Amino acid sequence: MTDMHAPEAGKAGRKEWLALMVIVLACALVSMDISVLFFATPFLAVDLEPSGSQLLWIMDSYAYLLAGLLITMGSLGDRYGRRRILLIGAALFGCVSVLAAYSTSPEMLIVARALLGVGGATVAPSTLSLIGNMFPDSTQRRTAIGIWTAGFAAGALVGPLVAGILLEHYWWGSVFLINVPVILLLLLVGPFLLPEFTNPDAARFDLIGAGLSLAAVLPVIYGTKKLAEQEVTTVTVGAILAGLGIGYLFVLRQRSHPDPILDLELFHSRRFSVAVAVNTILQFSMLGMMMITSQYMLVILDIPPFTAALWRLPAILTLIVGLVIGGALVRTVAPVTLIGTGLAAAAVGFLAMVWTTPDNALPVMLVGSSVMTVGVGIVVILATDVILATAPPEQAGSAAGLAETSNEFGGALGITILGSVTGALYRVAMTEDVPAALTPEQRETVLSTIEGAEKIAHALPAPLGPSLSDAAAAAFTTGVQWASSIGGALLVVIAVLAVVLLRGIPAMPGSGPDTAAAQAPDLLPLGEHPSGNGGPVRPR
């Protein structure tokens, strides 16, 4: 049951706000591990010598396992205790961080990153669902969600900054060891500050449904990744079709199961569905941009890690500005206006990178990322609050898992799709520019990754080396320009859809636990409630 230590009925007290700081720290750590390798990649590439495909798997395996298990782990938290699942996941996360730090091969690091994803999946939904338990008052809850959102987004943005500082003095494994003291702090104070919540009416856990959810996500991700790498084979297409087929079976099981992992009735709410879609596309674009710009600054512009990390600060500051704007206007401005404006700003920031060249890359990327994160900050508080407020308390873990899944899955897809598009176009552009004097092994290294091309170029004498370096920079820039076009176009599309589908929903003033939902009824056919009982969706 929910353990609320508040000074007055319906209000959170000092203990809840201290507990919020703890779970925000845990959430920031989970999101930071998505981006912490952006600056470490060139260093581990030299040490472990992964192939281009292995390098992407090192980057992505964490986020994919995280995304594939979030709903399942959120459901486990509802059944067996959200604090318990959070602390178990934190312990696993800390242990595997040590394993990742001392990996001696690409395969070992890929496995370690995947296990980190499992640990992160047990931590992330519990952090968000516990907010619903600790802050029943809608105004306090929105403030708490704003802080949580800032922690989540800041974790992804601060990851490269932390990595840059560590890489100036230590080896690449230090970006994983930094997790350990934070995890120890969480394990020490979590049992005393965090409330426990268990759904007393929960049925047996649907193990088959959990397996189907993961089995549906991973083949689609694998196939999409290979298609983006221009590997159109029977296995690639078969993996996507198999994943979609398993996903269909998962949906059928959730509709018929008496106690589903994911209540699909939630998607009957137009607000809920749009909020999930908006979160997914925002993270797709933001994480994709971060990976591209990090790689560009380190490899093409040859900026030291710490200096490159400092260039991230404007985007962090503008994210905070966006969060403040969104939090201040959410009670007086209609959601359609806030979401449309924020998505438009994010699209403008991303599309600005289409004009990237090796000569103007740094200012273009700084302006583009800063404008984009303002838009992200404006939108994410409202989108996350909508997802939580729509779900009943006993399903908050599942809803939080879905909210986190949209974030992590979108971010992972952004890294994979935009990274693969950039890499594929780089290889196409470089094919005719590889010097004939190179050995077959050197040629393969040059075509595999931009890091490999620069490594070979630095070992060649003038004018061959500088010429190869310039050609590689031009080829990679072409990939960046096309990836920016794709990300920006997706933001424009989701902005138009959000504006069309959210018309008529008013602003969300009020301070009671049910006010937000009462002031912002869902746009359902004939005003139906997802449960069929009629009336607006509201937290219960």
Side-chain angles (χ1 to χ4, degrees), residues 69-422:
L69 290 172
L70 279 166
I71 295 176
T72 296
M73 295 303 179
S75 181
L76 276 176
D78 290 339
R79 287 163 171 78
Y80 302 116
R82 292 169 186 167
R83 182 180 65 190
R84 179 183 303 163
I85 295 297
L86 169 63
L87 296 178
I88 291 173
L92 174 63
F93 197 88
C95 292
V96 180
S97 293
V98 178
L99 177 65
Y102 292 100
S103 294
T104 56
S105 69
E107 293 81 6
M108 183 177 177
L109 185 53
I110 290 171
V111 171
R113 289 279 286 170
L115 291 175
L116 276 172
V118 176
T122 61
V123 172
S126 296
T127 63
L128 185 54
S129 57
L130 282 172
I131 289 178
N133 302 138
M134 296 187 297
F135 300 94
D137 178 79
S138 63
T139 300
Q140 286 190 327
R141 187 181 67 245
R142 280 196 295 268
T143 301
I145 289 174
I147 296 172
W148 178 91
T149 302
F152 178 85
L157 290 171
V158 169
L161 180 62
V162 172
I165 295 172
L166 292 173
L167 291 169
E168 286 287 317
H169 305 284
Y170 308 104
W171 96 113
W172 58 264
S174 61
V175 303
F176 295 111
L177 289 183
I178 194 66
N179 296 339
V180 176
V182 178
I183 291 297
L184 289 176
L185 175 64
L186 174 61
L187 293 176
L188 286 174
V189 304
F192 303 100
L193 287 179
L194 298 176
E196 184 59 286
F197 179 96
T198 303
N199 181 6
D201 300 321
R204 294 183 61 186
F205 180 68
D206 182 13
L207 186 60
I208 295 177
L212 287 174
S213 67
L214 186 61
V217 170
L218 294 182
V220 173
I221 291 172
Y222 171 81
T224 304
K225 185 182 184 69
K226 291 299 182 181
L227 285 180
E229 295 172 359
Q230 297 182 322
E231 294 187 20
V232 184
T233 65
T234 303
V235 174
T236 298
V237 176
I240 294 176
L241 294 177
L244 293 176
I246 296 172
Y248 179 70
L249 294 177
F250 172 75
V251 170
L252 291 180
R253 183 172 181 84
Q254 297 310 292
R255 285 179 173 175
S256 60
H257 199 276
D259 193 41
I261 293 175
L262 175 62
D263 185 3
L264 297 177
E265 296 294 323
L266 292 171
F267 286 96
H268 288 182
S269 162
R270 189 181 299 180
R271 290 176 60 227
F272 184 88
S273 299
V274 171
V276 169
V278 165
N279 267 354
T280 301
I281 299 301
L282 276 179
Q283 295 301 323
F284 177 98
S285 302
M286 186 172 75
L287 268 295
M289 170 185 273
M290 287 179 61
M291 186 204 67
I292 292 171
T293 55
S294 297
Q295 197 172 13
Y296 205 102
M297 283 191 286
L298 288 175
V299 181
I300 305 298
L301 302 182
D302 197 25
I303 299 175
F306 180 65
T307 305
L310 292 178
W311 286 118
R312 289 286 181 204
L313 291 178
I316 297 175
L317 295 175
T318 53
L319 172 70
I320 296 172
V321 170
L323 289 170
V324 171
I325 293 173
L329 297 181
V330 70
R331 296 177 211 141
T332 56
V333 179
V336 65
T337 302
L338 282 179
I339 291 178
T341 301
L343 288 173
V348 169
F350 208 116
L351 288 171
M353 289 179 58
V354 173
W355 283 272
T356 299
T357 69
D359 295 327
N360 68 9
L362 187 57
V364 167
M365 289 177 177
L366 287 177
V367 172
S369 59
S370 298
V371 173
M372 182 180 183
T373 52
V374 168
V376 172
I378 291 174
V379 174
V380 288
I381 291 179
L382 180 59
T384 305
D385 190 40
V386 166
I387 293 173
L388 280 190
T390 304
E394 66 272 12
Q395 292 182 337
S398 297
L402 185 58
E404 285 276 5
T405 298
S406 65
N407 287 336
E408 309 295 353
F409 190 66
L413 280 181
I415 292 172
T416 294
I417 301 299
L418 298 182
S420 297
V421 166
T422 303

